[in-house]
Amino acid sequence: MPENVPNSDKKYNEELKKKILRLKEERDAVIIAHNYQRDEVQEIAEITGDSLALSQAAIRTDAKVIVFCGVTFMAETAAILNPGKIVLLPVIEAGCPMADMITAEKLRARKAEYPDAAVVCYVNSSARVKAESDICCTSSNAIEVVRSLKDYKRVIFVPDRNLGKYVQSQVTDKEIILWKGFCPTHIRVQEEDILEVRKKYPDTEFIAHPECEPEVLALADHICSTGGMFKYIKNSKSKRFIIGTEAGMLYRLKKENPDKEFFLATEHLICPSMKLTTLGWVAHSLEEMVYKVEVPADVAEKAKRTLDRMLAVSGEKPVAAIAGY
Ligand code: 13P
Ligand code: SF4
């Protein structure tokens, strides 16, 4: 069987893990994985987390090579924040369909319609879209970022319409111009999915990612990023939780909370792009030093300003001076 095919053979996976650890040392690499990655990939990663935590971790690392187990926009973000480092994305096709729902050209056209608006881009966007935006945000700081735009009454929010709507519900003194993007995985959660579990276990808390549809979010006890879910659940007195985000979250949630019970809101909460990365592809990535993620310098410079502004708002020291902000 080729190494890049997921394999449940324990011995085979142990061999692959050893190979990855050896190559990691040889290459002076760090392995970073998003919370939606396969269990075995999270297991070999030094750093796991949500989009914000991972972009912050990328800045702090001393390693020469960053192997980013996630999707393209995440690896691009790491490359933009680490100009001197090599960033590898193990699977070249691992894109985010939501990020592909907007282009820099389309965003420029929208900006021309609303010249007085600030542009906030969700981190799930291409480097070119970031370069065309004023400030970036993630699901954990979107409200804070929009609130920080004190001089603006109008905000163009791209590309996720659901995160944008959620921010609008929390920030009432600004008008948010929405884009029509969405996450094909998160919109699969239906109200009935939640009501069904609650019928059986009325004491179950429902924790939702803001990429879910508004009618589903209306049923949530808590709405937060994937990183926020770990904190919230750890501190909650409840024993049962419905998880309204991608299945990969269950790996660490179960490990860190052995006394708690988790129900995935629906079995369809699987992001096909996130699941493309296997141990075999990670080994291949380190062995062949592929696939290098490089952002053209002019785009990277502008996109970095957009990211630095976000990091300044969320308490992280900007890695470069922020011109004109
Ligand atoms: P987080 O910012 O919560 O990690 O989410 C990223 C993502 O792709 C959600 O679908
Ligand atoms: Fe993109 Fe949705 Fe997958 Fe997140 S879960 S990477 S938003 S497709």
Side-chain angles (χ1 to χ4, degrees):
M1 188 180 292
E3 280 190 347
N4 50 20
V5 171
N7 196 321
S8 55
D9 181 340
K10 253 189 164 164
K11 192 161 163 260
Y12 178 85
N13 281 341
E14 285 316 311
E15 289 305 316
L16 265 181
K17 280 182 198 163
K18 275 190 212 149
K19 183 173 172 182
I20 290 168
L21 292 179
R22 173 178 57 76
L23 287 166
K24 196 170 75 78
E25 293 305 310
E26 282 171 27
R27 307 286 195 213
D28 188 11
V30 62
I31 301 175
I32 294 184
H34 188 265
N35 292 323
Y36 296 164
Q37 289 288 294
R38 292 172 181 277
D39 296 2
E40 61 276 22
V41 173
Q42 294 193 44
E43 210 179 309
I44 47 127
E46 274 129 291
I47 304 160
T48 53
D50 65 13
S51 304
L52 179 62
L54 295 182
S55 43
Q56 288 169 327
I59 304 168
R60 289 194 202 104
T61 178
D62 292 330
K64 283 200 191 104
V65 177
I66 300 171
V67 180
F68 211 116
C69 303
V71 290
T72 313
F73 76 82
M74 297 180 177
E76 265 187 357
T77 303
I80 294 164
L81 293 174
N82 293 277
K85 292 193 176 131
I86 296 172
V87 178
L88 303 176
L89 182 70
V91 181
I92 199 160
E93 301 89 358
C96 165
M98 181 207 282
D100 295 339
M101 289 175 189
I102 184 165
T103 61
E105 291 67 34
K106 286 184 185 164
L107 177 53
R108 271 199 291 277
R110 180 61 60 92
K111 280 164 67 172
E113 281 177 60
Y114 299 96
D116 61 326
V119 180
V120 177
C121 65
Y122 188 24
V123 69
N124 296 37
S125 56
S126 69
R128 286 185 191 279
V129 166
K130 288 187 178 79
E132 205 52 61
S133 304
D134 295 304
I135 187 163
C136 190
C137 75
T138 71
S139 53
S140 63
N141 61 20
I143 295 168
E144 211 185 343
V145 163
V146 172
R147 281 196 182 131
S148 78
L149 299 164
K150 302 249 184 290
D151 297 338
Y152 293 88
K153 282 273 162 238
R154 261 183 175 171
V155 169
I156 298 172
F157 191 97
V158 297
D160 187 19
R161 63 171 192 226
N162 286 343
L163 179 59
K165 272 186 207 163
Y166 173 59
V167 172
Q168 179 73 88
S169 72
Q170 305 297 309
V171 185
T172 47
D173 64 337
K174 294 188 203 301
E175 182 194 356
I176 302 205
I177 318 293
L178 299 169
W179 196 260
K180 281 189 181 159
F182 60 91
C183 166
T185 299
H186 283 83
I187 62 157
R188 293 180 189 167
V189 184
Q190 306 282 305
E191 290 160 273
E192 302 81 71
D193 296 323
I194 316 307
L195 300 175
E196 220 167 276
V197 181
R198 277 194 176 148
K199 214 193 288 169
K200 207 164 162 197
Y201 303 110
D203 59 342
T204 308
E205 276 198 81
F206 172 41
I207 320 294
H209 193 281
E211 287 175 16
C212 294
E213 298 281 27
E215 55 277 17
V216 170
L217 293 181
L219 297 174
D221 295 293
H222 190 61
I223 299 168
C224 58
S225 70
T226 56
M229 289 187 189
F230 291 110
K231 264 183 246 155
Y232 181 84
I233 290 169
K234 198 171 181 189
N235 296 325
S236 168
K237 287 195 171 66
S238 301
K239 288 285 176 213
R240 290 194 179 102
F241 299 88
I242 305 170
I243 302 302
T245 195
E246 215 272 348
M249 282 292 292
L250 296 178
Y251 168 71
R252 249 178 76 200
L253 279 174
K254 286 181 179 169
K255 205 163 122 180
E256 292 176 8
N257 304 277
D259 57 327
K260 297 182 177 174
E261 199 179 347
F262 299 100
F263 303 93
L264 196 61
T266 157
E267 60 182 11
H268 304 299
L269 270 168
I270 308 238
C271 170
S273 304
M274 284 283 181
K275 298 306 189 229
L276 288 173
T277 310
T278 59
L279 288 178
W281 278 120
V282 178
H284 177 259
S285 174
L286 280 162
E287 195 156 40
E288 304 294 330
M289 292 295 281
V290 289
Y291 295 92
K292 285 195 182 106
V293 177
E294 285 162 331
V295 180
D298 56 329
V299 177
E301 195 191 322
K302 289 185 191 151
K304 189 166 183 300
R305 240 179 278 155
T306 306
L307 285 160
D308 283 346
R309 287 176 186 149
M310 168 186 80
L311 294 173
V313 169
S314 25
E316 181 77 5
K317 264 214 332 253
V319 281
I322 307 175
Y325 185 70

